[in-house]
Amino acid sequence: MNLYAPIIGLLALAAGFMAIAILLSKIVGPARKNRAKYDVYECGIEGTPKPKDGGRIPVKYYITAMLYIVFDIEIVFLYPWAVTYQKMGTFALVEMVLFIVTVFIAYMYVFRRGGLNWD
């Protein structure tokens, strides 16, 4: 249990700081409640009313999010590989070239389909 004492102490310190920050914001912060404060903010334009059934969100938002995830995962694999490249040898080079070619083919597919064009 003695090994976990610093971790528990840090968690208690973080929780205490969070509680104090929330309490101070309630005490010190302004309490002017109005409709504009609670409206949805959409980059400076008026919010569009949503249909009763929930409406549809354009697919381009999902495509952008998926592209970000794909290239983020690529970086997650490339960084450790670059750090330990000298130790791994030719096999690692071939595997990484195959990985980059696969991601590049996916990128070209999305590019040709117009997934990177933002209307």
Side-chain angles (χ1 to χ4, degrees):
M1 190 65 179
N2 198 16
L3 294 173
Y4 294 109
I7 296 172
I8 293 170
L10 188 60
L11 287 174
L13 184 67
F17 178 74
M18 179 186 65
I20 290 171
I22 291 173
L23 183 66
L24 280 176
S25 71
K26 293 286 185 188
I27 293 171
V28 177
R32 294 183 298 259
K33 296 180 175 141
N34 56 25
R35 186 174 187 272
K37 185 175 180 179
Y38 293 107
D39 270 351
V40 178
Y41 181 72
E42 294 184 4
C43 300
I45 59 174
E46 286 293 322
T48 55
K50 298 240 183 229
K52 291 188 193 254
D53 61 350
R56 298 185 65 175
I57 296 175
V59 176
K60 62 185 171 185
Y61 298 114
Y62 296 112
I63 291 174
T64 303
M66 292 303 291
L67 284 173
Y68 172 76
I69 290 170
V70 165
F71 292 112
D72 190 44
I73 290 172
E74 181 182 9
I75 295 300
V76 166
F77 284 129
L78 278 175
Y79 184 74
W81 174 82
V83 170
T84 59
Y85 172 70
Q86 294 292 334
K87 297 176 187 172
M88 292 189 289
T90 308
F91 177 74
L93 178 64
V94 171
E95 291 296 322
M96 192 51 67
V97 167
L98 289 174
F99 177 71
I100 291 174
V101 166
T102 305
V103 171
F104 185 73
I105 289 171
Y107 173 75
M108 291 309 297
Y109 173 76
V110 170
F111 180 74
R112 292 192 67 189
R113 293 285 308 240
L116 300 177
N117 296 336
W118 195 263
D119 296 332

